[in-house]
Amino acid sequence: MNPKTWSWLVFVIVLLALSAIPAPTPAAATAPEYTEFTVNSTADLNDFVINSVCSGGSPTGGPCTLRAAITEANYCDDAPGACGDYVIIHVPAGTYTLTLPGGGEDANTTGDLDISLTNLQITIEGAGASQTIIDGNDIDRVLHIQTNTDVQIRDLTIRGGYLEQVSSSEWKIGAGIYSGNGTLNLENVILENNIVVCSVVPSTSCHQSRGGGLGGNGTIMINTSTIRNNSAYHGGGLFYNGSAELKIFASTISGNQAETAGAFLIYGPTYFANSTISGNSAGDVGGIVISSDTTRLVNVTISGNETISTAANLRNSGTLLLRNTIIAYPKRTSGVASNCSNFSTVTSSGYNMSDDNSCGLAIVTGDFPNTDPKLTPLAWLSGATQTHGLLAQSPAHNAKAGFCTDFDGFTVSIDQRGQNRDAQCDIGAFEGVAYNTYMPVITR
């Protein structure tokens, strides 16, 4: 064969072989592990367009407002996988005031901030409870968390929410936060100065105005947080009506007001641990009203709640389990107040203390009825939240041989402030002794 012919044949064979090799497939875009937005403006502006860019006033160059960030996060539901495993919104120090009037819509365009993301967890993170403030400005509730969401809120304050019931056909619940049938976690959050008002005449329908600070019916966990100075017709601090569980740890509920249940109105399973309910007031029961289901209290201090009627601190119409808990110092506008009422379904696990005989406690179960716990006033005694300390000679100090344990037998190793508990259990939310002096209270 002619060499030129052979060379040409080899070239053709190589060309045919190469043509049989498939072209490389372009690499697929890698989905993000998560999506984050960082708010950079305290203005209350809507997101300009849904394009995965937090921008108010223009498609890409505007400020990232809190409302715009939430709107972009909500639309992660429309693009499964595009936003990664979760969404986080960073909210720097500052006061974020809602200024777009118009309650009643759920699209996050006016009034409250509406969170509707259902296929991913969303976290709203501030710079600290005293530094990042979301203010409802009395135009609507502050946060409306819709059904089937998974929301975490931490390190910020929610205040200035306002709802008004004007007809007998409507319910107004949760001026600070309303959380639907999903999951809500609050950590290092302050809920304060939120109000639900009823202007219906006559007031027979005002029981539908509930939960000044928070109202919800899903799974709710509250940790190292403060709910204070909120008001509603029922449940000034919080109203819970769920079948999952409300859990409260290392938190203080104080200064809330209502016609009934100044601190809490409960219609579902509830668990309180290492927490303080103090200084709340209502016409009927300043502290906690348990209307149904099971409530468990372990190492809780309930003190100084005020009422016009008889029982100031706690009324139970459900099933109540008490363990290592203090109930004391009831207040009444006039006359003598009692701590508790309707205690036919109380079950004591022992080492509870009450300064009267109204709470169903018995010495034979290791309780301390008719015993003054000798508490300090509510104060900052270190930790993230205020507590009642134990004065010297308090019978609640070292009341139980051995560590404090919860209902499942696990050791309660720290108190509300995060201080270690020792091998002799102190009753209530505070471990140790506080000494009143002319200087700030000293603890050890």
Side-chain angles (χ1 to χ4, degrees):
M1 180 180 293
N2 187 298
K4 290 184 178 181
T5 303
W6 173 250
S7 298
W8 177 251
L9 182 59
V10 171
F11 173 76
V12 171
I13 292 172
V14 171
L15 185 62
L16 290 172
L18 289 174
S19 66
I21 300 174
T25 303
T30 302
E33 291 184 17
Y34 60 92
T35 295
E36 63 181 337
F37 300 102
T38 299
V39 175
N40 58 24
S41 171
T42 59
D44 189 16
L45 295 175
N46 277 298
D47 194 47
F48 188 82
V49 64
I50 305 303
N51 60 355
S52 300
V53 177
C54 176
S55 175
S58 68
T60 58
C64 181
T65 67
L66 178 56
R67 189 180 295 273
I70 290 174
T71 295
E72 285 291 346
N74 286 339
Y75 276 86
C76 286
D77 275 339
D78 291 353
C83 294
D85 294 328
Y86 61 91
V87 178
I88 182 167
I89 297 174
H90 302 284
V91 190
T95 299
Y96 299 80
T97 304
L98 305 187
T99 59
L100 301 178
E105 61 79 46
D106 294 333
N108 197 42
T109 56
T110 61
D112 56 16
L113 300 170
D114 298 297
I115 299 175
S116 60
L117 179 64
T118 60
N119 65 6
L120 298 176
Q121 183 185 88
I122 178 172
T123 297
I124 299 177
E125 180 182 66
S130 64
Q131 299 180 60
T132 300
I133 299 167
I134 306 175
D135 193 327
N137 195 29
D138 294 336
I139 65 170
D140 198 358
R141 74 163 51 90
V142 182
L143 280 174
H144 180 191
I145 300 171
Q146 297 173 27
T147 302
N148 298 324
T149 56
D150 184 353
V151 178
Q152 294 203 22
I153 301 171
R154 58 184 181 235
D155 300 324
L156 53 79
T157 290
I158 292 173
R159 72 183 188 195
Y162 179 88
L163 294 176
E164 183 177 5
Q165 181 189 350
V166 297
S167 77
S168 60
S169 62
E170 62 183 357
W171 291 73
K172 295 294 184 179
I173 299 174
I177 301 175
Y178 175 76
S179 179
N181 190 23
T183 299
L184 172 64
N185 290 322
L186 302 181
E187 184 173 354
N188 194 28
V189 169
I190 297 173
L191 284 171
E192 65 180 7
N193 302 328
N194 302 286
I195 181 171
V196 182
V197 173
C198 179
S199 58
V200 179
V201 179
S203 62
T204 52
S205 297
C206 285
H207 67 278
Q208 295 165 195
S209 296
R210 302 182 175 190
L214 170 64
N217 58 8
T219 299
I220 299 175
M221 181 178 292
I222 300 171
N223 192 28
T224 58
S225 294
T226 298
I227 301 175
R228 66 189 180 199
N229 304 333
N230 304 282
S231 65
Y233 198 84
H234 286 341
L238 186 150
F239 166 65
Y240 181 67
N241 184 27
S243 58
E245 190 168 36
L246 166 67
K247 295 182 178 180
I248 298 178
F249 302 99
S251 296
T252 295
I253 299 87
S254 66
N256 302 285
Q257 299 178 335
E259 190 64 31
T260 300
F264 289 106
L265 177 59
I266 298 170
Y267 281 87
T270 308
Y271 184 87
F272 294 80
N274 269 339
S275 292
T276 299
I277 298 96
S278 174
N280 304 281
S281 61
D284 184 17
V285 187
I288 304 172
V289 173
I290 303 165
S291 291
S292 65
D293 225 297
T294 300
T295 296
R296 298 179 293 165
L297 305 179
V298 56
N299 284 101
V300 173
T301 299
I302 305 173
S303 174
N305 298 289
E306 185 172 0
T307 185
I308 295 175
S309 59
T310 303
N313 280 324
L314 202 157
R315 184 172 74 215
N316 171 49
S317 299
T319 299
L320 177 65
L321 284 70
L322 290 174
R323 191 177 184 89
N324 308 333
T325 287
I326 292 172
I327 308 174
Y329 307 152
K331 295 181 179 180
R332 189 175 179 184
T333 305
S334 63
V336 178
S338 63
N339 281 304
C340 305
S341 65
N342 293 4
F343 260 60
S344 59
T345 53
V346 64
T347 300
S348 170
S349 295
Y351 301 95
N352 301 291
M353 185 172 291
S354 170
D355 63 350
D356 69 6
N357 201 32
S358 66
C359 296
L361 306 184
I363 295 174
V364 293
T365 60
D367 290 331
F368 298 84
N370 292 311
T371 304
D372 183 353
K374 300 188 186 303
L375 303 178
T376 71
L378 190 69
W380 296 106
L381 303 176
S382 78
T385 53
Q386 290 184 301
T387 51
H388 288 287
L390 302 180
L391 291 170
Q393 308 306 314
S394 169
H397 179 53
N398 292 340
K400 174 182 179 294
F403 289 101
C404 302
T405 55
D406 65 15
F407 292 101
D408 297 316
F410 294 107
T411 299
V412 181
S413 59
I414 59 174
D415 72 357
Q416 179 173 335
R417 304 165 300 151
Q419 300 295 315
N420 289 331
R421 290 186 180 270
D422 58 31
Q424 285 189 280
C425 180
D426 286 5
I427 301 175
F430 184 94
E431 175 78 18
V433 173
Y435 297 91
N436 276 332
T437 69
Y438 291 107
M439 300 173 64
V441 173
I442 298 172
T443 66
R444 68 167 177 83

